[in-house]
Amino acid sequence: MNEQRSCGLSSGVEFKNLAYKVQLGYKKGYKEILKSINGRFPSNKLIGILGGSGSGKSTLLNLLSGYEEGKYSGTIRTYGVDEDLKQYRKKSVYIMQDNYLQDLLTLRENMEIAADLKLGDRFGCYAKKAIIDKVISVMGLKDAIDTKTGILSGGEKKRLSVGLELINEPSILFLDEPTTGLDSSACTQFMEHLKELTVEGKTIICTIHQPSATVFNLFDEIYILQDGSCFYRGKPEDLLPCLENNGWTCPLFHNPADFAIELSINNVNIVQESVWECEEEVTKDEPCNTNKVDISDVSEYYSFKVLMKREFLKCIRNKTLTYLRLITSVMNSLTLSVIFWKVGSDASKMLFNYNFIMGFLLHLMTPSLMLTILTYPNEKLTLFREHFNRWFSLKVYYLVLTLIELPIAVS
């Protein structure tokens, strides 16, 4: 059974006997993804979860962040007071592997809307602007502040994805393979920005598939998985000595991360139960940075106004789709008018009146429903990210989506 997420650390994350399995199919048994693993990620550190494909990296990250709500066994502990999953999520954010952003808005507009949705109306314009300017400066996005998100580079989009979630000063950031799609230079630059955030009191936990030697050495702690079990946990600089003590010497000029992952993939028979037993005991967590922005819950009415503004901007800028919707609506209206012209004044054509009523109702309802159905798939993953990180409630989002389409549907 899932145990309540309690805590015992200042702002780190600890898990004990964490196990997770999925059902393969009807009466086909279960597959263990995580096998009673233990670990502790201290606060104010950049922590990397490494491993080969299928080793359980993303599953571990999803369980720690709360993004995966399946049945697991074991405990996950964090902070200094007992708290449930809802309270735990308020202190952390989850950033997906791909960049699901509002491409029609500029970088500045994305940041302003994120600030409005996260901070609400209890912060004035100047206070929000100061927070936005600070985040933009930290993430190195000053040169692209007025650029539309859709034409940003891959590295800039990654940094923007992180910057949007930094608005409300989360204590823990979970990132799923943030370097995917970036070249070596952009990858290093992005990880250096994450490293800088740890100085400000952030705990950053990310999965990474194949880090370069430079990126590998940026991590304060690493956790390597081998088929759902812990292969190594500790400091990057202690990895090679630990492997040498167990009989494996890394070739000269070989990437230590690649060497360790190759050993884990090849199912090396480890003498100890796990190599991480070589590590020293983790020292006591550093004091948590208490200089946080006090965020109050944003009212649904305020979220409604901000989302209406965002959707209105998107409608204005997506001119092709908006014009097509208007033309389709006008053409359907003209077609109905021509077919049923003066039918209502002829009592002998009562059946045509019923046909007109049915056609009118279909014309009134179907376009608005279809517009929502066609729009939602493009917004789905962006919606998942924003809703999971508590930007707004689903009922407010769907109300806005319906109302913004109403003028076109009625016309």
Side-chain angles (χ1 to χ4, degrees):
M1 292 180 61
N2 294 9
E3 298 190 23
Q4 185 182 20
R5 290 176 187 266
S6 57
C7 47
L9 305 176
S10 58
S11 62
V13 179
E14 182 182 38
F15 49 95
K16 293 182 178 180
N17 299 318
L18 186 61
Y20 182 78
K21 57 185 179 181
V22 294
Q23 189 170 7
L24 297 175
Y26 183 66
K27 293 184 178 180
K28 291 185 179 180
Y30 291 85
K31 178 182 179 181
E32 281 191 295
I33 306 298
L34 298 177
K35 302 173 182 177
S36 297
I37 59 176
N38 302 301
R40 185 186 185 195
F41 299 154
S43 61
N44 306 342
K45 302 291 184 183
L46 177 60
I47 299 157
I49 302 175
L50 287 69
S53 298
S55 61
K57 302 188 302 295
S58 294
T59 301
L60 175 58
L61 188 78
N62 291 344
L63 289 176
L64 294 178
S65 65
Y67 191 74
E68 176 63 59
E69 295 184 333
K71 293 183 178 180
Y72 65 90
S73 61
T75 57
I76 299 175
R77 301 166 63 86
T78 181
Y79 296 100
V81 294
D82 290 340
E83 59 185 1
D84 57 20
L85 182 57
K86 184 177 180 181
Q87 292 172 319
Y88 171 75
R89 284 180 176 177
K90 286 184 178 180
K91 298 180 176 71
S92 64
V93 294
Y94 181 86
I95 299 169
M96 298 179 180
Q97 179 176 343
D98 296 315
N99 305 309
Y100 300 115
L101 303 166
Q102 301 293 342
D103 291 343
L104 295 173
L105 304 183
T106 64
L107 188 150
R108 183 196 301 273
E109 289 168 341
N110 270 298
M111 294 293 290
E112 289 174 347
I113 288 172
D116 286 335
L117 289 171
K118 285 172 169 283
L119 306 183
D121 55 357
R122 299 198 178 188
F123 288 77
C125 294
Y126 291 107
K128 290 177 182 177
K129 186 177 184 302
I131 294 172
I132 291 171
D133 290 342
K134 178 184 176 183
V135 171
I136 288 174
S137 176
V138 169
M139 299 309 298
L141 293 169
K142 286 184 178 179
D143 295 336
I145 192 168
D146 292 315
T147 306
K148 280 191 176 181
T149 307
I151 59 176
L152 292 175
S153 67
E156 289 170 334
K157 287 182 177 180
K158 290 285 185 184
R159 282 178 276 152
L160 176 58
S161 296
V162 176
L164 291 174
E165 303 302 339
L166 290 177
I167 292 291
N168 61 336
E169 293 284 331
S171 297
I172 303 177
L173 283 79
F174 297 96
L175 298 95
D176 186 16
E177 302 206 13
T179 58
T180 300
L182 301 182
D183 58 40
S184 178
S185 176
C187 175
T188 303
Q189 185 183 29
F190 177 75
M191 295 304 295
E192 286 174 347
H193 282 294
L194 293 184
K195 180 73 171 180
E196 292 172 5
L197 292 176
T198 62
V199 179
E200 299 183 4
K202 304 288 188 297
T203 302
I204 301 178
I205 304 171
C206 61
T207 60
I208 189 163
H209 184 65
Q210 201 170 16
S212 65
T214 304
V215 170
F216 179 75
N217 289 320
L218 287 174
F219 288 111
D220 297 303
E221 302 276 343
I222 58 171
Y223 194 99
I224 302 178
L225 285 165
Q226 177 189 43
D227 193 26
S229 300
C230 180
F231 180 79
Y232 172 85
R233 67 176 185 182
K235 299 182 183 300
E237 58 268 25
D238 295 335
L239 174 62
L240 293 185
C242 184
L243 292 176
E244 288 176 0
N245 290 338
N246 284 270
W248 305 297
T249 302
C250 179
L252 193 63
F253 306 120
H254 197 78
N255 186 348
D258 290 342
F259 181 66
I261 292 173
E262 287 168 5
L263 289 176
S264 66
I265 292 175
N266 292 329
N267 294 318
V268 170
N269 185 18
I270 303 173
V271 177
Q272 292 88 355
E273 289 186 3
S274 57
V275 174
W276 62 261
E277 291 179 353
C278 300
E279 70 164 330
E280 297 178 357
E281 289 295 322
V282 180
T283 58
K284 185 178 180 180
D285 280 342
E286 300 174 14
C288 180
N289 180 15
T290 57
N291 186 23
K292 304 289 183 183
V293 179
D294 184 14
I295 304 303
S296 300
D297 291 334
V298 181
S299 68
E300 291 186 343
Y301 175 68
Y302 191 81
S303 298
F304 171 80
K305 291 194 300 181
V306 176
L307 286 175
M308 281 294 289
K309 173 186 174 182
R310 185 177 78 175
E311 295 303 317
F312 184 70
L313 279 173
K314 288 165 60 179
C315 283
I316 292 176
R317 292 179 183 173
N318 195 356
K319 295 181 179 180
T320 302
L321 184 59
T322 302
Y323 289 156
L324 283 174
R325 289 171 173 175
L326 286 171
I327 291 171
T328 302
S329 183
V330 170
M331 291 299 294
N332 286 338
S333 300
L334 288 175
T335 302
L336 283 174
S337 300
V338 170
I339 293 174
F340 297 103
W341 180 255
K342 293 183 178 181
V343 168
S345 59
D346 189 346
S348 64
K349 297 180 179 179
M350 185 176 295
L351 184 60
F352 287 93
N353 291 334
Y354 287 117
N355 292 338
F356 168 73
I357 293 172
M358 183 61 68
F360 176 76
L361 291 174
L362 288 173
H363 166 66
L364 184 65
M365 294 187 302
T366 304
S368 60
L369 290 173
M370 287 304 298
L371 289 174
T372 304
I373 291 170
L374 294 173
T375 303
Y376 176 71
N378 297 327
E379 297 279 341
K380 182 177 69 172
L381 294 174
T382 305
L383 172 62
F384 283 176
R385 175 182 63 83
E386 294 176 345
H387 176 62
F388 180 78
N389 290 328
R390 305 167 306 282
W391 287 35
F392 46 74
S393 65
L394 286 177
K395 61 182 178 182
V396 172
Y397 173 79
Y398 283 114
L399 178 61
V400 169
L401 201 63
T402 302
L403 291 179
I404 204 70
E405 306 285 0
L406 194 59
I408 297 175
V410 172
S411 66

